Amino acid sequence: MPEPYSSTSNNNSPYLNLNTLSQHARELASQGKFGEARALFYADEFEGPDWQRQLGLGEFLLSMGQTADAIEPFSLVLDYAHQTDEKSLRSVACHNLAIAYRELGYSQLAAQFQQYSIAWGDLRSADHQTLESEIHHLSEHAACDLTGRANDAILQQDYQLAEQLLNISLSREILDGDADAQAADWGNLGILQGLQGNHLRAIVYLHKAYQLHQQTQNHSALGQDLVHLAEVFQLTGRLKRAARCLQRAINCFSQCNSQGNAEKEACVRLHELQRLLAVQQHDPLLN
């Protein structure tokens, strides 16, 4: 997620820098100390502006699967940005709110916040510009809005637009050398191909996402890649392969100790798949 500003100071306190604080919070969360991790964002040692504290907290909560809780700090950042007319910060807050609402299933609200993010950010008056005009105005930080718009297009089943936006975003991320962002775009392209019934291409794209997430050791994202691969394998009748992907996904989720439901949902799906396999392998002549 974008971070338009960062706090800097010569003080030796370990929590003055937001990146350091967020890293420590993730370490505590990985040890199962989620309450302590969350409390770090309210530590007195952090002397940055309150909006920066709230932005960091919101991003941390999103990464931990606490999507509903992330809305409040992002909303506080948006209020501050409105009051101070900080357009770049307003764009970031809206983009993160779009992510949160999209994950919670409020697709129309997510699309609205994504458009706000574009209007105040890199793509400006996207409501009445052609796609070519929007691309002309792209800056180095625009790919996140492209990906958000693509996700909304997928929800609206406008697959052609979604693929176009994702390919543009991927090109930008390759230039920037951001492996995690590239992986996210490859993963979304894989999901998109799967929705259109192009299963072989979906597997190729999702595997590319998986390989990139391996490079960055992003265990949560690795788990999601494997869950999506399992879906495609199941659709093509390769149930054993799908089950192996789900088992590996569960292992990935357990390593990152995410507070969300991803691991639990993968376990449920693996159990259902194992029942399907048992039925498939059952020989009625043995009874």
Side-chain angles (χ1 to χ4, degrees), residues 102-117:
R102 194 176 295 117
E103 289 186 2
L104 291 170
Y106 298 103
S107 57
Q108 291 185 338
L109 193 56
Q112 184 177 356
F113 273 104
Q114 196 70 63
Q115 284 299 106
Y116 289 154
S117 176

Side-chain angles (χ1 to χ4, degrees), residues 239-240 274-284 286:
L239 300 188
K240 289 184 179 179
Q274 288 171 336
R275 289 178 61 189
L276 284 175
L277 277 168
V279 171
Q280 188 181 74
Q281 296 169 359
H282 178 66
D283 186 351
L286 296 178

Side-chain angles (χ1 to χ4, degrees), residues 53-174:
R53 185 195 304 263
Q54 296 296 338
L55 181 60
L57 173 61
E59 291 176 345
F60 169 73
L61 291 170
L62 267 186
S63 70
M64 292 292 106
Q66 300 294 302
T67 308
D69 289 345
I71 289 175
E72 182 179 357
F74 286 142
S75 297
L76 291 173
V77 174
L78 182 58
D79 286 342
Y80 171 83
H82 277 314
Q83 293 170 17
T84 57
D85 198 27
E86 292 278 354
K87 293 183 179 179
S88 178
L89 183 60
R90 192 156 45 183
S91 175
V92 170
C94 286
H95 176 70
N96 283 320
L97 282 166
I99 292 174
Y101 283 121
R102 194 176 295 117
E103 289 186 2
L104 291 170
Y106 298 103
S107 57
Q108 291 185 338
L109 193 56
Q112 184 177 356
F113 273 104
Q114 196 70 63
Q115 284 299 106
Y116 289 154
S117 176
I118 293 166
W120 286 312
D122 294 297
L123 302 186
R124 299 177 183 85
S125 53
D127 284 326
H128 51 267
Q129 282 190 2
T130 64
L131 183 61
E132 290 77 13
S133 299
E134 292 176 22
I135 295 166
H136 179 71
H137 291 293
L138 282 176
S139 77
E140 293 180 358
H141 305 292
C144 60
D145 274 322
L146 284 170
T147 302
R149 285 195 66 202
N151 286 333
D152 292 329
I154 291 172
L155 292 173
Q156 295 160 9
Q157 297 186 359
D158 191 344
Y159 298 144
Q160 184 177 0
L161 174 61
E163 186 168 4
Q164 190 175 7
L165 291 167
L166 286 170
N167 280 319
I168 296 167
S169 175
L170 179 59
S171 298
R172 173 67 63 177
E173 301 297 4
I174 290 173

